[in-house]
Amino acid sequence: MTKNLGQVLWTDLTVPNAVECRDFYHEVIGWSSEGVSMGDYEDFSMKATGPRPDPMGDGSVVAGVCHAKGDNGDMPAQWIIYVGVEDLDASIAKAKQLGGKHVSKIRSYGKDRFSVIADPAGAVIGLYQQAD
């Protein structure tokens, strides 16, 4: 997969009421959803009806709506965009050096790695390192 450095690769919403929010976005925007097994519960991939840029190779999936539990238990209840970086560890270190914070553990999606940081004002953004 071609690396998309500096580009928004994914958008996620993590909330305590994921089912309600899934239904909200279905009614307001028209997104459909597909369940994503998380073991004892399901998060949701939200799907658009038309074509779109596809940097992650996931077709019509435009976002995730996730329960604030498990690995997502420490995520703030807001939309988080994930931006492509060359080196996740170096980007996290640089963020902390410049007054930011590392707010979630590093996780994996296949061979890719991602995490969330906060800037000096407290705004969060996800960093996403695609595998070579």
Side-chain angles (χ1 to χ4, degrees):
M1 178 181 302
T2 304
K3 290 186 180 185
N4 297 288
L5 303 179
Q7 295 182 32
V8 175
L9 300 177
W10 185 248
T11 306
D12 250 349
L13 175 64
T14 300
V15 291
N17 56 337
V19 172
E20 181 181 14
C21 288
R22 174 203 62 191
D23 295 346
F24 173 87
Y25 289 107
H26 171 73
E27 293 297 325
V28 172
I29 298 174
W31 287 344
S32 62
S33 66
E34 182 174 293
V36 177
S37 176
M38 303 304 290
D40 59 344
Y41 64 95
E42 278 190 336
D43 285 340
F44 307 101
S45 291
M46 304 306 290
K47 301 175 106 182
T49 56
R52 70 173 195 96
D54 195 16
M56 298 296 287
D58 52 14
S60 63
V61 176
V62 295
V65 174
C66 306
H67 292 275
K69 56 169 107 174
D71 285 342
N72 286 335
D74 61 348
M75 300 298 285
Q78 65 188 37
W79 283 100
I80 298 175
I81 62 169
Y82 288 83
V83 176
V85 296
E86 181 71 33
D87 182 327
L88 181 62
D89 298 305
S91 293
I92 292 169
K94 180 60 79 172
K96 293 193 307 192
Q97 176 187 350
L98 295 173
K101 295 179 182 172
H102 185 206
V103 299
S104 76
K105 70 180 187 174
I106 295 173
R107 296 187 287 169
S108 298
Y109 179 73
K111 294 182 179 181
D112 297 350
R113 300 170 65 230
F114 62 97
S115 192
V116 176
I117 62 165
D119 67 21
V124 295
I125 190 168
L127 306 177
Y128 196 100
Q129 178 184 336
Q130 293 176 297
D132 293 327

